Amino acid sequence: MHAFIQGLILGLLTAGVYALMASGQTLIFGIMNVINLAQGAMVILSAYISYQLFKSFGIDPFLAIPIVTVGMFVIGVAVQLLFLRPLKREDRAELSLLVTFAIALLIEGIMSITWKTNYRSINTSYANSSWTVFGYQITLVRLWACVLSLVALGLLYVLLNKTRFGRAVRATVQNPESARLLGVESDRVAALGFGLGSATAAAAGSVYGLLYAFYPGSHYDLISLLLSIVVLGGLGSIGGAMVGAVVVSTSSAIVASTISPAWSAMTFFVILIVVLVVRPRGLFGSTARGAI
Amino acid sequence: MSKALRLSALRGAAFFGLLAALPSFNLAHWVLNMLVFTLMYAAMSSAWNLVGGFTGYPSLGHAAFFGVGAYAVALWFQHHAIHSGYEPFVILPLVGVLAGLIGLPVAAVAMRTRADVFAIVTITLLFVAQTLAFNLHSITHGAQGLSIDPAPFSPATFERPFYYVLVGLLALAMGITYLTIKSKVGLSLASIRADEDKARGIGVRVSGLKLLTFCVSVGLTSMVGGVWAYYEGFVYPQFAFDPLITISIVLMTFLGGRGTLWGPILGAFVLELSQQNLAYRLGGSQFYLIAYALVFLLIMLLLPRGILPTIQDRLRYRRRRAGAAEGDDRPSAPAPRTAAAKVAVGGGERA
């Protein structure tokens, strides 16, 4: 029972970071119908950048978030303009999968050369401090990571619901054709949307670097995690991504703490399969644009 | 025999005759080694093409079945001895059937949905399989990997048995592809690719055909994996379940032209030979990962339909113009982008 609750706490605290990554992924899908397999690679790249900022300039990873976010936003827009926009064909969804996979490999290659392939971690002074509440351990970093991710998600919510750009994005997600007819510039929305998705990866990546040790191949672990979250939540639904993140994160943490960490990666796949059998469009996916 | 049929029979005979004759030219070991790997990729690309090219479901998880085949052979020979050296080849059909059976439930779930969710499930399967290979220590020995007794072939002609078995697998994959193209099955697959719901509406057995194609495809892939494990003598999780294998076979098929008989083979020969060269020159460094990704991105942007379909279109266009000049404007096949053409072209050999 103790292991179960400890797993639950850990899972809930980590869920925020995963929700942040996954919201970017599902946003990109919602706007462009593109499943971005490079999202995980962008997270790890951001972790490396904030690692480097901490090591070279002593900038605290939490404070580095704005810098990394802006940088990745620019990179995301560039990727969309260079590699995804030219794919204007009927089978764009299929081709974009392969293109983003290639981008993931490209980023992995660049990271392997710049930072070598051994594990790195960001060792801040507070990395190991934790509280013990009723016998359960709560690490400070994880708590902060969760809070910060929630703040970032809040900002994303405000951006999408209170601004003109946000309205254009939501219109595109709902119905791309009508949005275009009503004067939404879909090309610009797509480019900025991809940048925004990358920016969430950046914010999550800086936090991820604090929580886990990482190496260039770490993004492979994130791909299956993120994909099972967005499919569970319903492709294109940000609220769904958050719920999905909580479910996936807690269940894998509980499996890791009660059964064995060896099987926790298997939980993603099981969840994915169950969702596809029981409810293929996910928890909050619309029938029109969900998985079916 | 019609002219087209005779031509394709001639082409096939010439290609496989050349492949069969190559080892007798006393090629150096490194050349044969390179050819062995090229044949592996050619056979796997040809198998992937059945699912990714003809049916239009881009599987990113074929490397998982490559790994299943590799581990199946490695595990079998933990308990059985190798005497003549040909035992691993004999059990290959069993390995193929096993992988097909594993693929069946995966396909049954993943293919209920659209193509992009199918890609999600298959790529997740790949990473889960890799994690399991690392973590199920009692069976797979984890990161330590498994070793297979070295084949007792004479060092002078060591590569030949592997080479010929792979030629056989390639012939099998291409034979299945050829039969698919020539039969109603190819037509049905093309209709699934063009519009699945309409295909179902006109009575195509969509679900059964998709499952069958996927199982055959992953079965072939696992057999290549089995040969690979025996050839290398070692199986490690990170090499048996390598995302690069998936991306390579997809890239080769795209480069040559998906949905064609010869496209994947052309792509495999071009890419694998140049990749082996590249790896040889750049060493084992990570630069080739970057080079590979860049080549992929360039092909996607500049030649998204592949070499063969592009050439064919060009030829067709020229022929039509020549025909128009003579006032003999026969109705030629439409450009294979439209839905109707996909079905029409599926009936005839495209390359």
Side-chain angles (χ1 to χ4, degrees), chain A residues 29 35 83 90-91 94-95 97-99 101-102 106 109 112-113 220 224 227 262-263 265-266 269 272 276-277 280 290-291, chain B residues 58 112 114 116-117 119-121 123-125 127-128 131-132 135-136 243 247 250 254 258 286-287 289-290 293 300-301 337 342:
Chain A
F29 180 86
I35 290 171
F83 300 120
E90 69 207 71
D91 45 15
E94 188 186 335
L95 289 182
L97 267 167
L98 304 169
V99 167
F101 197 13
L106 185 65
S112 316
I113 287 170
Y220 293 125
S224 37
L227 292 178
W263 288 99
M266 195 72 189
F269 193 65
L272 195 59
L276 291 177
V277 170
Chain B
R112 278 159 45 106
R114 316 182 292 214
D116 40 4
V117 175
I120 291 184
V121 177
I123 197 174
T124 314
L125 175 76
F127 295 128
V128 167
T131 314
L132 285 183
N135 291 344
L136 294 179
I247 207 76
V250 177
F254 266 77
R258 61 205 154 122
Q286 300 292 326
F287 275 107
L289 200 63
I290 294 182
M300 287 298 192
L301 294 179
R337 264 299 106 182
K342 276 180 192 165

Short mmCIF file of all heavy atoms in Angstrom, two decimals, chain A residues 29 35 83 90-91 94-95 97-99 101-102 106 109 112-113 220 224 227 262-263 265-266 269 272 276-277 280 290-291, chain B residues 58 112 114 116-117 119-121 123-125 127-128 131-132 135-136 243 247 250 254 258 286-287 289-290 293 300-301 337 342:
data_model
loop_
_atom_site.label_atom_id
_atom_site.label_comp_id
_atom_site.label_asym_id
_atom_site.label_seq_id
_atom_site.Cartn_x
_atom_site.Cartn_y
_atom_site.Cartn_z
N PHE A 29 -1.17 18.48 -33.80
CA PHE A 29 -2.06 17.59 -34.56
C PHE A 29 -3.37 18.29 -34.88
O PHE A 29 -3.88 18.23 -35.99
CB PHE A 29 -2.34 16.29 -33.81
CG PHE A 29 -3.25 15.38 -34.56
CD1 PHE A 29 -2.74 14.52 -35.51
CD2 PHE A 29 -4.62 15.44 -34.39
CE1 PHE A 29 -3.58 13.71 -36.26
CE2 PHE A 29 -5.47 14.64 -35.13
CZ PHE A 29 -4.94 13.77 -36.07
N ILE A 35 1.26 14.34 -36.91
CA ILE A 35 1.72 13.72 -35.67
C ILE A 35 3.21 13.95 -35.57
O ILE A 35 3.98 13.44 -36.38
CB ILE A 35 1.38 12.22 -35.65
CG1 ILE A 35 -0.12 12.08 -35.51
CG2 ILE A 35 2.06 11.54 -34.48
CD1 ILE A 35 -0.61 10.70 -35.70
N PHE A 83 10.28 22.20 -43.72
CA PHE A 83 10.06 20.78 -44.01
C PHE A 83 8.60 20.37 -44.12
O PHE A 83 8.28 19.43 -44.82
CB PHE A 83 10.73 19.91 -42.95
CG PHE A 83 12.21 20.12 -42.86
CD1 PHE A 83 12.80 20.56 -41.69
CD2 PHE A 83 13.01 19.90 -43.97
CE1 PHE A 83 14.16 20.76 -41.62
CE2 PHE A 83 14.37 20.10 -43.91
CZ PHE A 83 14.96 20.54 -42.73
N GLU A 90 -2.28 15.28 -50.75
CA GLU A 90 -3.37 14.63 -50.03
C GLU A 90 -2.84 13.69 -48.93
O GLU A 90 -3.47 13.50 -47.92
CB GLU A 90 -4.23 13.84 -51.01
CG GLU A 90 -3.50 12.64 -51.57
CD GLU A 90 -3.99 12.23 -52.94
OE1 GLU A 90 -3.72 12.98 -53.90
OE2 GLU A 90 -4.63 11.21 -53.03
N ASP A 91 -1.63 13.10 -49.17
CA ASP A 91 -1.12 12.17 -48.16
C ASP A 91 -0.12 12.87 -47.24
O ASP A 91 0.87 12.29 -46.83
CB ASP A 91 -0.50 10.94 -48.79
CG ASP A 91 0.39 11.27 -49.97
OD1 ASP A 91 0.76 12.47 -50.11
OD2 ASP A 91 0.71 10.38 -50.74
N GLU A 94 0.53 11.20 -43.81
CA GLU A 94 1.44 10.07 -43.86
C GLU A 94 2.88 10.53 -44.03
O GLU A 94 3.79 10.09 -43.31
CB GLU A 94 1.01 9.18 -45.02
CG GLU A 94 1.73 7.87 -45.10
CD GLU A 94 1.35 7.12 -46.37
OE1 GLU A 94 0.24 7.36 -46.90
OE2 GLU A 94 2.17 6.32 -46.83
N LEU A 95 3.10 11.46 -44.97
CA LEU A 95 4.46 11.92 -45.22
C LEU A 95 5.02 12.68 -44.02
O LEU A 95 6.20 12.57 -43.70
CB LEU A 95 4.50 12.82 -46.46
CG LEU A 95 4.29 12.13 -47.80
CD1 LEU A 95 4.41 13.12 -48.93
CD2 LEU A 95 5.32 11.02 -47.99
N LEU A 97 4.52 12.21 -40.92
CA LEU A 97 5.01 11.25 -39.92
C LEU A 97 6.48 10.93 -40.17
O LEU A 97 7.32 10.94 -39.27
CB LEU A 97 4.25 9.95 -40.04
CG LEU A 97 3.03 9.72 -39.20
CD1 LEU A 97 2.30 8.52 -39.73
CD2 LEU A 97 3.46 9.49 -37.77
N LEU A 98 6.77 10.63 -41.43
CA LEU A 98 8.12 10.23 -41.77
C LEU A 98 9.07 11.41 -41.68
O LEU A 98 10.20 11.30 -41.22
CB LEU A 98 8.13 9.63 -43.18
CG LEU A 98 7.17 8.46 -43.34
CD1 LEU A 98 7.02 8.06 -44.78
CD2 LEU A 98 7.64 7.28 -42.51
N VAL A 99 8.58 12.59 -42.11
CA VAL A 99 9.43 13.78 -42.06
C VAL A 99 9.78 14.12 -40.61
O VAL A 99 10.94 14.37 -40.29
CB VAL A 99 8.74 14.97 -42.75
CG1 VAL A 99 9.46 16.26 -42.44
CG2 VAL A 99 8.69 14.75 -44.25
N PHE A 101 9.83 12.11 -38.11
CA PHE A 101 10.73 11.07 -37.61
C PHE A 101 12.16 11.37 -38.04
O PHE A 101 13.12 11.28 -37.25
CB PHE A 101 10.28 9.71 -38.15
CG PHE A 101 10.84 8.52 -37.43
CD1 PHE A 101 11.48 8.66 -36.21
CD2 PHE A 101 10.74 7.25 -37.97
CE1 PHE A 101 11.98 7.56 -35.53
CE2 PHE A 101 11.24 6.14 -37.30
CZ PHE A 101 11.86 6.31 -36.08
N ALA A 102 12.31 11.78 -39.30
CA ALA A 102 13.65 12.14 -39.80
C ALA A 102 14.20 13.33 -39.01
O ALA A 102 15.40 13.37 -38.69
CB ALA A 102 13.59 12.46 -41.28
N LEU A 106 17.60 13.62 -36.91
CA LEU A 106 18.54 14.72 -37.15
C LEU A 106 18.93 15.37 -35.83
O LEU A 106 20.12 15.58 -35.54
CB LEU A 106 17.88 15.74 -38.09
CG LEU A 106 18.73 16.91 -38.55
CD1 LEU A 106 19.86 16.41 -39.43
CD2 LEU A 106 17.89 17.90 -39.34
N GLY A 109 21.13 13.11 -33.85
CA GLY A 109 22.50 13.12 -34.36
C GLY A 109 23.25 14.35 -33.91
O GLY A 109 24.41 14.27 -33.46
N SER A 112 24.10 14.04 -30.27
CA SER A 112 25.16 13.06 -29.99
C SER A 112 26.53 13.65 -30.28
O SER A 112 27.51 13.32 -29.62
CB SER A 112 24.99 11.81 -30.84
OG SER A 112 23.68 11.42 -30.87
N ILE A 113 26.60 14.49 -31.30
CA ILE A 113 27.90 15.06 -31.64
C ILE A 113 28.27 16.18 -30.68
O ILE A 113 29.40 16.28 -30.22
CB ILE A 113 27.87 15.57 -33.09
CG1 ILE A 113 27.88 14.36 -34.02
CG2 ILE A 113 29.06 16.46 -33.37
CD1 ILE A 113 27.62 14.70 -35.44
N TYR A 220 13.47 8.49 -27.57
CA TYR A 220 12.69 7.31 -27.95
C TYR A 220 11.73 6.90 -26.83
O TYR A 220 10.62 6.46 -27.08
CB TYR A 220 13.61 6.14 -28.27
CG TYR A 220 14.44 6.34 -29.52
CD1 TYR A 220 15.82 6.23 -29.48
CD2 TYR A 220 13.82 6.67 -30.72
CE1 TYR A 220 16.57 6.43 -30.63
CE2 TYR A 220 14.57 6.87 -31.86
CZ TYR A 220 15.94 6.75 -31.81
OH TYR A 220 16.67 6.94 -32.93
N SER A 224 6.87 7.00 -27.19
CA SER A 224 5.74 6.11 -26.91
C SER A 224 4.89 6.67 -25.77
O SER A 224 3.67 6.55 -25.78
CB SER A 224 6.22 4.70 -26.61
OG SER A 224 7.40 4.70 -25.88
N LEU A 227 2.79 9.60 -27.26
CA LEU A 227 1.76 9.14 -28.19
C LEU A 227 0.62 8.47 -27.44
O LEU A 227 -0.55 8.68 -27.76
CB LEU A 227 2.38 8.19 -29.22
CG LEU A 227 3.34 8.86 -30.19
CD1 LEU A 227 3.93 7.83 -31.13
CD2 LEU A 227 2.64 9.95 -30.99
N ALA A 262 10.75 -2.40 -14.66
CA ALA A 262 10.95 -3.03 -15.97
C ALA A 262 9.66 -3.05 -16.78
O ALA A 262 9.68 -2.99 -18.00
CB ALA A 262 11.47 -4.44 -15.79
N TRP A 263 8.54 -3.14 -16.09
CA TRP A 263 7.27 -3.26 -16.80
C TRP A 263 6.58 -1.92 -17.03
O TRP A 263 5.51 -1.87 -17.61
CB TRP A 263 6.33 -4.20 -16.07
CG TRP A 263 6.76 -5.62 -16.19
CD1 TRP A 263 7.46 -6.33 -15.26
CD2 TRP A 263 6.58 -6.49 -17.30
NE1 TRP A 263 7.72 -7.58 -15.73
CE2 TRP A 263 7.19 -7.71 -16.98
CE3 TRP A 263 5.96 -6.34 -18.56
CZ2 TRP A 263 7.20 -8.79 -17.86
CZ3 TRP A 263 5.98 -7.41 -19.42
CH2 TRP A 263 6.59 -8.62 -19.07
N ALA A 265 7.28 0.62 -18.87
CA ALA A 265 7.16 1.04 -20.27
C ALA A 265 6.03 0.31 -20.96
O ALA A 265 5.42 0.80 -21.91
CB ALA A 265 8.47 0.81 -21.01
N MET A 266 5.75 -0.89 -20.47
CA MET A 266 4.69 -1.71 -21.07
C MET A 266 3.32 -1.08 -20.83
O MET A 266 2.41 -1.28 -21.64
CB MET A 266 4.76 -3.10 -20.45
CG MET A 266 4.00 -4.17 -21.16
SD MET A 266 4.79 -4.62 -22.71
CE MET A 266 3.53 -5.68 -23.40
N PHE A 269 1.90 0.91 -23.71
CA PHE A 269 1.39 0.13 -24.83
C PHE A 269 0.04 -0.48 -24.49
O PHE A 269 -0.88 -0.47 -25.31
CB PHE A 269 2.40 -0.95 -25.21
CG PHE A 269 2.11 -1.60 -26.51
CD1 PHE A 269 2.18 -0.86 -27.68
CD2 PHE A 269 1.75 -2.93 -26.59
CE1 PHE A 269 1.90 -1.44 -28.90
CE2 PHE A 269 1.47 -3.51 -27.80
CZ PHE A 269 1.54 -2.78 -28.96
N LEU A 272 -2.57 2.18 -24.67
CA LEU A 272 -2.84 2.49 -26.08
C LEU A 272 -3.76 1.46 -26.71
O LEU A 272 -4.75 1.81 -27.37
CB LEU A 272 -1.49 2.53 -26.82
CG LEU A 272 -1.45 3.17 -28.19
CD1 LEU A 272 -1.88 4.61 -28.10
CD2 LEU A 272 -0.05 3.08 -28.76
N LEU A 276 -7.64 1.91 -28.06
CA LEU A 276 -8.02 1.67 -29.45
C LEU A 276 -9.11 0.61 -29.58
O LEU A 276 -9.91 0.65 -30.50
CB LEU A 276 -6.79 1.27 -30.27
CG LEU A 276 -5.80 2.41 -30.46
CD1 LEU A 276 -4.58 1.94 -31.21
CD2 LEU A 276 -6.46 3.55 -31.21
N VAL A 277 -9.13 -0.33 -28.63
CA VAL A 277 -10.17 -1.36 -28.69
C VAL A 277 -11.50 -0.80 -28.18
O VAL A 277 -12.55 -1.00 -28.79
CB VAL A 277 -9.75 -2.60 -27.87
CG1 VAL A 277 -10.91 -3.55 -27.72
CG2 VAL A 277 -8.58 -3.30 -28.54
N PRO A 280 -11.76 4.23 -29.77
CA PRO A 280 -10.65 4.63 -30.65
C PRO A 280 -10.48 6.13 -30.77
O PRO A 280 -9.39 6.58 -31.11
CB PRO A 280 -11.04 4.02 -32.00
CG PRO A 280 -12.02 2.97 -31.69
CD PRO A 280 -12.72 3.38 -30.45
N GLY A 290 -11.20 12.86 -34.46
CA GLY A 290 -10.50 11.98 -33.54
C GLY A 290 -9.77 10.88 -34.27
O GLY A 290 -9.44 11.00 -35.44
N ALA A 291 -9.52 9.81 -33.56
CA ALA A 291 -8.65 8.77 -34.12
C ALA A 291 -9.31 7.98 -35.23
O ALA A 291 -8.65 7.39 -36.05
CB ALA A 291 -8.20 7.83 -33.00
N PRO B 58 1.35 3.15 -43.20
CA PRO B 58 2.79 3.29 -42.97
C PRO B 58 3.21 2.68 -41.63
O PRO B 58 3.09 3.31 -40.59
CB PRO B 58 2.99 4.81 -42.97
CG PRO B 58 1.69 5.35 -42.50
CD PRO B 58 0.63 4.39 -42.96
N ARG B 112 -7.72 -1.05 -37.15
CA ARG B 112 -9.11 -0.61 -37.05
C ARG B 112 -9.20 0.88 -37.30
O ARG B 112 -10.27 1.41 -37.57
CB ARG B 112 -9.63 -0.87 -35.63
CG ARG B 112 -10.10 -2.29 -35.37
CD ARG B 112 -10.09 -2.57 -33.89
NE ARG B 112 -10.66 -1.49 -33.11
CZ ARG B 112 -11.85 -1.54 -32.54
NH1 ARG B 112 -12.58 -2.60 -32.68
NH2 ARG B 112 -12.29 -0.54 -31.82
N ARG B 114 -7.33 4.83 -38.52
CA ARG B 114 -6.73 5.39 -39.72
C ARG B 114 -5.23 5.16 -39.76
O ARG B 114 -4.63 4.76 -38.78
CB ARG B 114 -6.90 6.90 -39.77
CG ARG B 114 -8.15 7.47 -39.41
CD ARG B 114 -8.02 8.95 -39.60
NE ARG B 114 -7.10 9.51 -38.63
CZ ARG B 114 -7.27 10.71 -38.14
NH1 ARG B 114 -8.27 11.43 -38.54
NH2 ARG B 114 -6.41 11.18 -37.28
N ASP B 116 -2.62 7.11 -39.64
CA ASP B 116 -1.65 7.74 -38.74
C ASP B 116 -1.70 7.15 -37.34
O ASP B 116 -0.66 7.06 -36.68
CB ASP B 116 -1.77 9.28 -38.71
CG ASP B 116 -3.20 9.74 -38.72
OD1 ASP B 116 -4.08 8.87 -38.67
OD2 ASP B 116 -3.44 10.95 -38.76
N VAL B 117 -2.86 6.71 -36.90
CA VAL B 117 -2.90 6.03 -35.61
C VAL B 117 -2.21 4.67 -35.71
O VAL B 117 -1.54 4.21 -34.78
CB VAL B 117 -4.34 5.88 -35.10
CG1 VAL B 117 -4.38 5.08 -33.82
CG2 VAL B 117 -4.93 7.25 -34.87
N ALA B 119 0.37 4.12 -37.50
CA ALA B 119 1.79 4.42 -37.36
C ALA B 119 2.16 4.60 -35.88
O ALA B 119 3.20 4.14 -35.42
CB ALA B 119 2.14 5.69 -38.15
N ILE B 120 1.27 5.26 -35.12
CA ILE B 120 1.51 5.46 -33.69
C ILE B 120 1.64 4.12 -32.98
O ILE B 120 2.58 3.89 -32.22
CB ILE B 120 0.37 6.27 -33.05
CG1 ILE B 120 0.40 7.71 -33.55
CG2 ILE B 120 0.47 6.23 -31.54
CD1 ILE B 120 -0.62 8.59 -32.89
N VAL B 121 0.68 3.23 -33.24
CA VAL B 121 0.71 1.94 -32.54
C VAL B 121 1.96 1.16 -32.90
O VAL B 121 2.63 0.59 -32.04
CB VAL B 121 -0.55 1.12 -32.87
CG1 VAL B 121 -0.48 -0.24 -32.21
CG2 VAL B 121 -1.79 1.84 -32.43
N ILE B 123 4.90 2.21 -33.98
CA ILE B 123 6.16 2.75 -33.47
C ILE B 123 6.23 2.51 -31.95
O ILE B 123 7.30 2.22 -31.40
CB ILE B 123 6.34 4.24 -33.83
CG1 ILE B 123 7.82 4.62 -33.63
CG2 ILE B 123 5.49 5.16 -32.99
CD1 ILE B 123 8.14 5.99 -34.09
N THR B 124 5.08 2.58 -31.27
CA THR B 124 5.08 2.28 -29.84
C THR B 124 5.46 0.83 -29.60
O THR B 124 6.24 0.51 -28.70
CB THR B 124 3.68 2.55 -29.25
OG1 THR B 124 3.23 3.81 -29.73
CG2 THR B 124 3.71 2.59 -27.75
N LEU B 125 4.93 -0.04 -30.47
CA LEU B 125 5.26 -1.47 -30.37
C LEU B 125 6.77 -1.67 -30.45
O LEU B 125 7.37 -2.44 -29.68
CB LEU B 125 4.58 -2.22 -31.51
CG LEU B 125 4.93 -3.70 -31.61
CD1 LEU B 125 4.20 -4.48 -30.54
CD2 LEU B 125 4.60 -4.25 -32.98
N PHE B 127 9.22 0.38 -29.60
CA PHE B 127 9.94 0.79 -28.40
C PHE B 127 9.62 -0.12 -27.22
O PHE B 127 10.48 -0.40 -26.39
CB PHE B 127 9.64 2.25 -28.07
CG PHE B 127 10.16 3.17 -29.12
CD1 PHE B 127 9.35 4.12 -29.71
CD2 PHE B 127 11.47 3.06 -29.55
CE1 PHE B 127 9.84 4.94 -30.71
CE2 PHE B 127 11.97 3.88 -30.55
CZ PHE B 127 11.14 4.82 -31.12
N VAL B 128 8.37 -0.58 -27.17
CA VAL B 128 8.02 -1.50 -26.10
C VAL B 128 8.80 -2.81 -26.26
O VAL B 128 9.33 -3.36 -25.30
CB VAL B 128 6.50 -1.76 -26.10
CG1 VAL B 128 6.16 -2.94 -25.22
CG2 VAL B 128 5.77 -0.54 -25.61
N THR B 131 12.28 -2.27 -25.08
CA THR B 131 12.33 -2.22 -23.62
C THR B 131 12.21 -3.62 -23.02
O THR B 131 12.93 -3.98 -22.09
CB THR B 131 11.19 -1.34 -23.08
OG1 THR B 131 11.14 -0.16 -23.84
CG2 THR B 131 11.42 -1.00 -21.63
N LEU B 132 11.29 -4.42 -23.59
CA LEU B 132 11.12 -5.78 -23.08
C LEU B 132 12.40 -6.60 -23.28
O LEU B 132 12.80 -7.35 -22.39
CB LEU B 132 9.95 -6.47 -23.78
CG LEU B 132 8.56 -6.02 -23.34
CD1 LEU B 132 7.50 -6.82 -24.05
CD2 LEU B 132 8.42 -6.17 -21.83
N ASN B 135 14.60 -5.65 -20.58
CA ASN B 135 14.16 -5.89 -19.20
C ASN B 135 13.86 -7.34 -18.85
O ASN B 135 13.97 -7.72 -17.69
CB ASN B 135 12.91 -5.05 -18.90
CG ASN B 135 13.25 -3.57 -18.84
OD1 ASN B 135 14.42 -3.21 -18.73
ND2 ASN B 135 12.25 -2.73 -18.90
N LEU B 136 13.46 -8.15 -19.83
CA LEU B 136 13.14 -9.55 -19.53
C LEU B 136 14.46 -10.33 -19.45
O LEU B 136 14.79 -11.15 -20.31
CB LEU B 136 12.23 -10.15 -20.60
CG LEU B 136 10.84 -9.54 -20.68
CD1 LEU B 136 10.03 -10.18 -21.77
CD2 LEU B 136 10.14 -9.69 -19.33
N PRO B 243 15.35 1.62 -34.27
CA PRO B 243 14.48 2.49 -35.06
C PRO B 243 15.11 2.82 -36.42
O PRO B 243 14.38 3.07 -37.38
CB PRO B 243 14.37 3.76 -34.22
CG PRO B 243 14.79 3.39 -32.86
CD PRO B 243 15.67 2.20 -32.96
N ILE B 247 13.40 3.12 -40.20
CA ILE B 247 13.50 4.32 -41.03
C ILE B 247 14.22 3.99 -42.34
O ILE B 247 13.88 4.51 -43.39
CB ILE B 247 14.17 5.47 -40.25
CG1 ILE B 247 13.70 6.81 -40.78
CG2 ILE B 247 15.66 5.42 -40.30
CD1 ILE B 247 12.34 7.18 -40.36
N VAL B 250 11.76 2.17 -44.76
CA VAL B 250 10.75 3.10 -45.25
C VAL B 250 11.38 4.04 -46.28
O VAL B 250 10.84 4.28 -47.37
CB VAL B 250 10.15 3.91 -44.09
CG1 VAL B 250 9.17 4.93 -44.63
CG2 VAL B 250 9.46 3.00 -43.11
N PHE B 254 10.48 4.54 -50.22
CA PHE B 254 10.06 5.85 -50.74
C PHE B 254 10.98 6.32 -51.85
O PHE B 254 10.53 6.91 -52.82
CB PHE B 254 10.06 6.88 -49.61
CG PHE B 254 8.72 7.03 -48.97
CD1 PHE B 254 8.28 6.08 -48.06
CD2 PHE B 254 7.90 8.09 -49.28
CE1 PHE B 254 7.04 6.20 -47.48
CE2 PHE B 254 6.65 8.21 -48.70
CZ PHE B 254 6.23 7.27 -47.80
N ARG B 258 7.16 3.71 -53.84
CA ARG B 258 6.31 2.73 -53.15
C ARG B 258 5.19 2.29 -54.07
O ARG B 258 4.82 3.00 -55.00
CB ARG B 258 5.78 3.31 -51.86
CG ARG B 258 4.93 4.51 -52.04
CD ARG B 258 4.94 5.37 -50.79
NE ARG B 258 4.66 6.73 -51.18
CZ ARG B 258 3.65 7.43 -50.70
NH1 ARG B 258 2.87 6.92 -49.79
NH2 ARG B 258 3.43 8.65 -51.12
N GLN B 286 28.50 9.67 -35.15
CA GLN B 286 27.08 9.96 -35.26
C GLN B 286 26.79 10.79 -36.50
O GLN B 286 25.65 11.09 -36.78
CB GLN B 286 26.61 10.72 -34.03
CG GLN B 286 26.79 9.95 -32.75
CD GLN B 286 25.87 8.75 -32.67
OE1 GLN B 286 24.78 8.79 -33.16
NE2 GLN B 286 26.35 7.69 -32.06
N PHE B 287 27.84 11.14 -37.27
CA PHE B 287 27.60 11.96 -38.44
C PHE B 287 26.69 11.28 -39.43
O PHE B 287 25.93 11.91 -40.14
CB PHE B 287 28.93 12.32 -39.12
CG PHE B 287 29.58 13.51 -38.51
CD1 PHE B 287 30.71 13.37 -37.73
CD2 PHE B 287 29.06 14.78 -38.71
CE1 PHE B 287 31.29 14.46 -37.14
CE2 PHE B 287 29.65 15.88 -38.12
CZ PHE B 287 30.78 15.72 -37.34
N LEU B 289 24.17 9.47 -38.84
CA LEU B 289 22.77 9.68 -38.44
C LEU B 289 22.25 10.98 -39.06
O LEU B 289 21.16 11.03 -39.62
CB LEU B 289 22.68 9.74 -36.92
CG LEU B 289 21.33 9.49 -36.28
CD1 LEU B 289 20.84 8.09 -36.55
CD2 LEU B 289 21.41 9.71 -34.78
N ILE B 290 23.07 12.02 -38.97
CA ILE B 290 22.69 13.31 -39.54
C ILE B 290 22.58 13.21 -41.05
O ILE B 290 21.61 13.67 -41.66
CB ILE B 290 23.72 14.39 -39.14
CG1 ILE B 290 23.66 14.61 -37.64
CG2 ILE B 290 23.46 15.68 -39.88
CD1 ILE B 290 24.58 15.67 -37.14
N ALA B 293 19.41 11.38 -41.98
CA ALA B 293 18.21 12.19 -41.79
C ALA B 293 18.10 13.24 -42.88
O ALA B 293 17.02 13.49 -43.41
CB ALA B 293 18.23 12.83 -40.41
N MET B 300 12.12 13.42 -49.35
CA MET B 300 10.72 13.73 -49.09
C MET B 300 10.31 15.03 -49.77
O MET B 300 9.19 15.17 -50.24
CB MET B 300 10.49 13.90 -47.59
CG MET B 300 10.51 12.61 -46.87
SD MET B 300 9.20 11.62 -47.48
CE MET B 300 9.20 10.37 -46.29
N LEU B 301 11.22 15.99 -49.78
CA LEU B 301 10.87 17.30 -50.32
C LEU B 301 10.99 17.33 -51.84
O LEU B 301 10.17 17.93 -52.53
CB LEU B 301 11.76 18.38 -49.71
CG LEU B 301 11.56 18.58 -48.21
CD1 LEU B 301 12.49 19.64 -47.68
CD2 LEU B 301 10.13 18.96 -47.91
N ARG B 337 -1.68 9.72 -59.38
CA ARG B 337 -2.00 10.40 -58.12
C ARG B 337 -3.48 10.29 -57.82
O ARG B 337 -3.89 10.32 -56.68
CB ARG B 337 -1.61 11.87 -58.20
CG ARG B 337 -0.25 12.21 -57.63
CD ARG B 337 -0.14 11.90 -56.18
NE ARG B 337 0.67 10.72 -55.97
CZ ARG B 337 0.91 10.19 -54.78
NH1 ARG B 337 0.41 10.73 -53.70
NH2 ARG B 337 1.62 9.11 -54.65
N LYS B 342 -4.92 4.93 -59.00
CA LYS B 342 -4.28 4.02 -58.06
C LYS B 342 -4.84 2.62 -58.25
O LYS B 342 -4.12 1.64 -58.23
CB LYS B 342 -4.54 4.47 -56.64
CG LYS B 342 -3.57 5.53 -56.17
CD LYS B 342 -3.90 5.92 -54.76
CE LYS B 342 -3.14 7.16 -54.36
NZ LYS B 342 -3.69 7.75 -53.16
#
